[in-house]
Amino acid sequence: MLDTLDAAAVGRWCASGLAALRRHQGEIDDLNVYPVPDGDTGTNLVLTLTSAQQALSRGLGTLPEDGATAHGHALRLMARGALLGARGNSGVILSQLLRGLADALGVVPTVAGRALAGALRDATTAAYAAVARPVEGTVLSVVAAAATAAEQADSDDLRTVVRAAAGEAARALARTPEQLPALARAGVVDAGGRGLCLLLDALVEVVTGESPPGPTPVTRTVRPPLTAVRESGSTEYAYEVQFLLDAPHDAVTRMRAELATLGDSLVVVGDGGSPAESGTWNVHVHVNDVGAAVEAGVAAGRPYRISVTRFADQGAPAARPEPADGRAAVVVAAGVGIAELFGGEGATVVPGNPSTGELLDAIRATAAARVVVLPNDPNTQAVANAAAREAHRLGVQVSVVPTRSPVQALAALAVRDPQRRFADDVIAMAEAAGACRYAEVCHASREALTVAGPCRPGDVLALVEGEVHLIGSDLVDTCAAVVDRMLGGGGELVTLLTGADAPAGLAEAVREHVSRRWPFVEVQAYPGGQPHYPLLVGVE
C-alpha cells in the first residue's frame, strides 16, 4: 500500500491502466450507438496510452524541467506522449486529463490525498476545456464525478481518496444513459467513461494493492430508434463559426457585442484579465454571415484555428485553382485511391486514424507557413485540433476545416484560391465542404433497431450525414436508393468513391441508374479503396 504517488507508482499505473484497456478494448469498441463496423473508442484509448507509456519509458532517465519533482516529471512525460499519440476524441480528452494531473502535481513535493483530489479537479477543468461543446453523459461527467468524490473525501489518506474517486466514477458511468438519450436508446454506457473507470481502477490497484470490482457493463439490447442529437440554437442561422482569438479584454467585449447582433448561441471564454491585458479566447457563434463574424474577430485581435460548420445545404463549388505558394493542405485518407485523389490535388496525405504526432509531422513536412487540415472523420477532428495547437506553438498557422467525409474534402479542395487571404480561403473551403451532403453504405455488423427499422448482421445500411436512412438486402439497389434520396433534396454533381471490398461494376451500375433517373446530374466515380464502406457518396 502507498501513502504517496511517486514516479515508480506513476509508471506502474500507466502499465496497469494500459493492460486493463487492452483487456477490455473490444468491449469498449462495441459500446457504439450505431451498428456499423468502425466503433473504435477502445482502440483509440489503447493507442493513446501506448504512446504515453513509450514516452514515459524513453524519458525516465532524463532530468526534470522547471523544478518538477520526479513524479511530476513522469506525469508530464505521460501527458506529452499521450498528446502526440492521441487518436480520436477519446484520446484527445485522455491527453488533457493527464496534462491536468501533470500541471497540478508537477511541483507538489508529496502526492497525498488532498493533492490528488485537487489534481483531479484540474484534470476535469482541462478535459472540459478541450471540448468545444461539452455534453453531459460522457467521459466528462464521469471524471467530474470522480473529482467531486475525491474532494468530498476530505482526506490526506491517498487510499481513501482513490477509492472514493473510482467508486463514484463507476456510479457516474452507470448514470450516463440517463443523461444522454442516445446511450439509453442504444442500451449502452459511454465508451470513454468506461475507459476512464478502468484507469481509475488501475490507480486503486497500484495504491492499495487491491483489485476493485469494475463497473458492470450494460447489456446491449435491441435498440429503439436512433436519432441524432442536435445542438441548441435557432434554425434561423445556417453556420457555426468557431475560432481562437488573441486579443485584449476590452476588444473582446466590443467583439462580443457585435457578434450578439449577428446570431445566437454565442459563447466567448478565455483567460483575459483586466481590460488592459491580452489573453487567448475561444469564440463560438451561430450566424448567417460568416465573413462578418470572422471580421469581428480580426477587428478585435488575431483569430486563428478558424472552423466553419454549415447546418444547411447551399451553394456549389467554384472552379479548381492551383494551391498558393506558402500554403499547404494536409488531408487524412483511408484508402489508396482516395489518397491518390488528394495527392493529385497537391495535398499531403496522412493515413486514416492518425495520431496527433503523425498529423503534426505532416504539417511540419509541408514547410508551409499556413496549412489547412481536412480530417475527413468526426473522430479525427479532435486530433487535428490538437495538432493545430502544437503547430501554432512552432509558428505555423493551421486551420482545421471540419470535413466528415472524403467527398467533402474533395469539394473543399476544389475551391482553393491563391488570390484570397488565407482566412477567406479557409472559409470558402468550409462552405464548400458543408454544401456537400455525404452518405456511406456498409454492411451491418450486428442486430439493431434504427430509425429506418430493424437490421440484422449482413444487412446493407445507407447512412446519410451519419444517420441510418435505408436498410436493404442488395448492395446495388441500396446504393441507388440512397442516391435517389439525396438528389430528392437537389443536386447537380454526384461523387462516388468505391471501397476496397466493393464488387466489380458497382459504380457503373449506380452511374447508369442516375443517368436514367436524373439525366441532368453529373456523376464522377473513382476507386477509393476505403475499408468498411463499399461506397461513399457526395452530392453537391
Side-chain angles (χ1 to χ4, degrees):
M1 294 190 293
L2 300 178
D3 295 320
T4 64
L5 194 67
D6 57 16
V10 170
R12 292 197 301 274
W13 174 46
C14 185
S16 178
L18 179 57
L21 287 174
R22 283 174 172 161
R23 286 195 302 271
H24 296 273
Q25 179 176 339
E27 171 200 329
I28 299 173
D29 280 344
D30 195 47
L31 295 178
N32 184 23
V33 297
Y34 291 104
V36 296
D38 58 353
D40 54 3
T41 297
T43 299
N44 287 337
L45 287 172
V46 166
L47 292 172
T48 300
L49 200 59
T50 297
S51 180
Q53 186 185 49
Q54 290 171 347
L56 182 60
S57 299
R58 288 193 302 265
L60 276 180
T62 61
L63 295 175
E65 299 177 357
D66 302 326
T69 60
H71 60 263
H73 181 52
L75 286 167
R76 287 181 179 178
L77 290 171
M78 279 183 65
R80 180 68 177 173
L83 176 64
L84 295 180
R87 296 178 188 263
N89 294 319
S90 54
V92 171
I93 291 174
L94 174 58
S95 74
Q96 294 307 293
L97 289 172
L98 292 173
R99 180 183 67 81
L101 290 174
D103 289 348
L105 299 176
V107 294
V108 174
T110 302
V111 183
R114 287 187 177 88
L116 180 62
L120 284 171
R121 178 57 60 195
D122 287 354
T124 300
T125 301
Y128 271 87
V131 179
R133 295 181 300 277
V135 176
E136 297 305 317
T138 65
V139 63
L140 299 177
S141 302
V142 177
V143 70
T148 299
E151 291 169 334
Q152 291 176 346
D154 193 24
S155 173
D156 260 337
D157 183 77
L158 187 61
R159 290 156 294 193
T160 298
V161 170
V162 296
R163 287 186 184 120
E168 187 56 35
R171 289 185 285 273
L173 176 67
R175 292 193 297 269
T176 56
E178 302 170 13
Q179 298 171 295
L180 197 57
L183 295 175
R185 289 191 289 266
V188 296
V189 295
D190 178 70
R194 173 70 166 125
L196 178 66
C197 285
L198 290 170
L199 292 178
L200 289 175
D201 286 346
L203 182 59
V204 170
E205 186 171 4
V206 167
V207 171
T208 67
E210 303 167 357
S211 298
T216 302
V218 176
T219 302
R220 182 179 294 278
T221 59
V222 175
R223 306 174 184 187
L226 300 175
T227 57
V229 180
R230 292 181 177 269
E231 185 183 2
S232 60
S234 171
T235 56
E236 176 185 352
Y237 301 106
Y239 299 92
E240 175 192 60
V241 179
Q242 296 182 88
F243 53 85
L244 292 183
L245 177 70
D246 290 340
H249 189 284
D250 54 352
V252 171
T253 300
R254 292 192 296 270
M255 179 199 66
R256 184 186 283 111
E258 182 174 353
L259 290 178
T261 67
L262 296 175
D264 69 0
S265 296
L266 175 62
V267 179
V268 181
V269 295
D271 57 5
S274 68
E277 294 179 336
S278 292
T280 300
W281 308 81
N282 192 312
V283 182
H284 170 279
V285 65
H286 293 180
V287 295
N288 285 325
D289 192 339
V290 174
V294 176
E295 286 300 327
V298 172
R302 186 179 70 87
Y304 56 99
R305 281 185 55 209
I306 301 168
S307 68
V308 179
T309 301
R310 188 182 182 99
F311 298 132
D313 296 315
Q314 299 177 10
R320 180 170 317 208
E322 292 298 318
D325 292 339
R327 303 182 188 181
V330 173
V331 188
V332 178
V336 175
I338 295 175
E340 291 177 352
L341 286 174
F342 291 140
E345 294 292 332
T348 297
V349 180
V350 179
N353 197 27
S355 68
T356 306
E358 289 168 343
L359 270 181
L360 181 59
D361 288 344
I363 291 169
R364 297 174 65 181
T366 66
R370 292 163 293 181
V371 179
V372 62
V373 177
L374 298 100
N376 293 339
D377 185 308
N379 206 33
T380 304
Q381 185 172 338
V383 174
N385 289 337
R389 288 193 296 270
E390 290 297 302
H392 175 66
R393 297 189 180 101
L394 301 174
V396 183
Q397 183 181 355
V398 178
S399 292
V400 178
V401 175
T403 51
R404 302 169 71 87
S405 170
V407 293
Q408 291 186 318
L410 290 173
L413 291 171
V415 303
R416 287 185 296 171
D417 186 347
Q419 305 305 315
R420 281 193 292 246
R421 293 188 312 149
F422 180 66
D424 293 338
D425 210 28
V426 171
I427 291 170
M429 294 176 71
E431 290 178 345
C436 178
R437 287 164 289 156
Y438 69 94
E440 305 151 313
V441 180
C442 67
H443 290 91
S445 59
R446 56 177 169 265
E447 182 178 355
L449 184 61
T450 75
V451 292
C455 70
R456 295 172 298 180
D459 283 348
V460 182
L461 304 183
L463 293 83
V464 180
E465 307 284 339
E467 182 65 72
V468 178
H469 275 227
L470 296 170
I471 301 173
S473 57
D474 182 82
L475 179 62
V476 174
D477 290 346
T478 305
C479 290
V482 75
V483 172
D484 285 344
R485 178 161 297 193
M486 297 176 75
L487 287 174
E492 300 175 353
L493 173 65
V494 173
T495 300
L496 306 175
L497 298 177
T498 52
D501 299 327
L506 175 62
E508 190 57 35
V510 176
R511 185 198 295 272
E512 292 176 357
H513 172 83
V514 173
S515 67
R516 291 193 305 270
R517 183 77 182 272
W518 308 91
F520 299 106
V521 173
E522 179 184 354
V523 178
Q524 296 179 346
Y526 308 97
Q530 69 275 1
H532 304 310
Y533 296 94
L535 189 68
L536 301 179
V537 181
V539 172
E540 304 171 51

